[in-house]
Amino acid sequence: MMTLHYQYFFSQRYAFIACHIMSWLFTYLMMTFIVMQNPYASWIETVYGAIFIFSGALVTYLIRCLYKKHIQHRSNLFQFMFLCVGSCLTTLFATTILLLGVFFIAHIGISRPIPASQFGFVIETVGLSNGINMLGLAMLWSLGYLALSKIKSLSEAHSLLTVSQLQALNSQLNPHFLFNAINDIRALILAQPTQARESLAELADMLRYSLQTNQDDKVALGEELENAQHYLNLCKIGLAERLQTDIDVAAEAVTLKVPKMVLQLCLENAIKHGIAKNRAGGLVSLKVRCDEKLFIEVMNPLIENAKPSGGLGLATKNIEKRLALLYKGEGSIKRVVREQRVVTCIELPKEAI
């Protein structure tokens, strides 16, 4: 975890440095191009421009370092005021360095000498005009950096919110099922101790699976199928012959990614509304196929005289929210009635492990 943190830190730092250099280099090239349009300009103007722009780039980088270390968690007004003061300091420093460079280059004879009587005129002319330019550039840089930092903060906050929502939805196990499973296993302990041990192991595997953390809340379909089989086996203890199952999964789909717990939630919903309330029981079918997308169908009997809701139940609402968070509109779930059977249809993008 520490290694990942440092990798992220350095990647962010190098990205900023690259953008920082490119932005100031672009500014230098643009200013040089404009200055060189003057027929009286000489090559020495490019040297002055390099000194000026390098000074501004150096100070704004130092300001960014101070901002990251001490200012970014302060109030927005304080951050804005800090960057405004930083822009003024950048202007003062860059203009001072430029003037020193102009006088030094003239002193060593590279450019024309500047008479002492002209010092005030040079300071006023060069310092004022270039100072205004640098103040505008520094303010533009500060506002741009502040805007980007706020966008980044909002993006990180949104990512954290998404993760917390997924974790909350993923943890919604049905306590009623756990209560029934424990009672069913307790009833088996004396009559069928071997089956009781096997069922207890399956329940432990289910709980372990549900508690395992996953970075993007997606797992291989094969893992989901194994957990779903544990769930069906535990349900059969209480429902016995009333619950019949049929699982048909395309081989090429086993290694594709699906949201964690999605099959268990669908099967739980099918058993609750199609089997548990039906004295005769019935067949719960799970079919998975893949073409351009991954298609999952869970079917259960439609109980006579029952009025299926036009919307989604609580379990399928859970899945719908998770699909919205994970796939941004590319995943969908719907429930339809087809030949006296209720069919829950899930459509997902194909994502390999």
Side-chain angles (χ1 to χ4, degrees), residues 7 28 32 35 37 54 67 103 108 124 167-168 186 223 227 239-240 243 252 254 260 300 324:
Q7 288 177 348
Y28 169 71
T32 301
V35 169
Q37 297 304 304
F54 175 80
Y67 176 88
F103 286 116
I108 62 178
E124 182 180 349
Q167 289 174 344
R186 184 178 63 177
E223 297 180 39
N227 182 68
L239 295 172
L243 174 59
E252 61 270 24
V254 174
K260 188 176 180 180
N300 61 271

Side-chain angles (χ1 to χ4, degrees), residues 173-231:
L173 291 176
N174 189 340
H176 185 67
F177 160 74
L178 294 176
F179 178 78
N180 287 341
I182 292 172
N183 276 339
D184 291 339
I185 293 172
R186 184 178 63 177
L188 289 174
I189 289 176
L190 295 178
Q192 301 180 53
T194 301
Q195 185 180 353
R197 286 195 298 270
E198 293 175 353
S199 299
L200 190 59
E202 289 188 308
L203 180 59
D205 288 340
M206 279 188 60
L207 292 173
R208 185 184 303 111
Y209 179 78
S210 67
L211 294 173
Q212 285 176 344
T213 57
N214 188 276
Q215 186 174 3
D216 59 359
D217 197 57
K218 298 175 187 176
V219 297
L221 178 63
E223 297 180 39
E224 271 292 289
L225 288 170
E226 184 178 357
N227 182 68
Q229 190 61 62
H230 292 325
Y231 174 76

Side-chain angles (χ1 to χ4, degrees), residues 219-223 225 249-258 351-353:
V219 297
L221 178 63
E223 297 180 39
L225 288 170
V249 179
E252 61 270 24
V254 174
T255 57
L256 298 180
K257 286 184 179 181
V258 296
E351 294 180 341
I353 293 295

Side-chain angles (χ1 to χ4, degrees), residues 39-59:
Y40 299 102
S42 65
W43 65 270
I44 200 66
E45 302 290 346
T46 63
V47 177
Y48 295 152
I51 294 172
F52 189 56
I53 294 299
F54 175 80
S55 301
L58 177 62
V59 179

Side-chain angles (χ1 to χ4, degrees), residues 82-194:
F82 171 81
L83 291 174
C84 286
V85 172
S87 298
C88 295
L89 292 176
T90 301
T91 302
L92 179 62
F93 179 82
T95 305
T96 302
I97 295 298
L98 174 62
L99 288 170
L100 291 175
V102 169
F103 286 116
F104 178 76
I105 290 173
H107 177 72
I108 62 178
I110 295 178
S111 66
R112 288 181 297 177
I114 303 175
S117 61
Q118 296 295 313
F119 281 7
F121 175 77
V122 171
I123 292 174
E124 182 180 349
T125 304
V126 175
L128 182 60
S129 60
N130 287 283
I132 293 174
N133 290 336
M134 180 53 70
L135 181 61
L137 290 172
M139 286 297 296
L140 183 63
W141 180 92
S142 298
L143 293 174
Y145 179 75
L146 183 62
L148 289 175
S149 65
K150 293 305 176 184
I151 292 172
K152 179 184 174 184
S153 298
L154 290 173
S155 177
E156 290 175 349
H158 181 266
S159 297
L160 290 173
L161 177 61
T162 299
V163 170
S164 64
Q165 287 177 318
L166 287 170
Q167 289 174 344
L169 291 169
N170 191 45
S171 64
Q172 290 180 7
L173 291 176
N174 189 340
H176 185 67
F177 160 74
L178 294 176
F179 178 78
N180 287 341
I182 292 172
N183 276 339
D184 291 339
I185 293 172
R186 184 178 63 177
L188 289 174
I189 289 176
L190 295 178
Q192 301 180 53
T194 301

Side-chain angles (χ1 to χ4, degrees), residues 16 80 92 150 236 344:
F16 168 79
F80 177 75
L92 179 62
K150 293 305 176 184
K236 287 179 180 179
T344 301

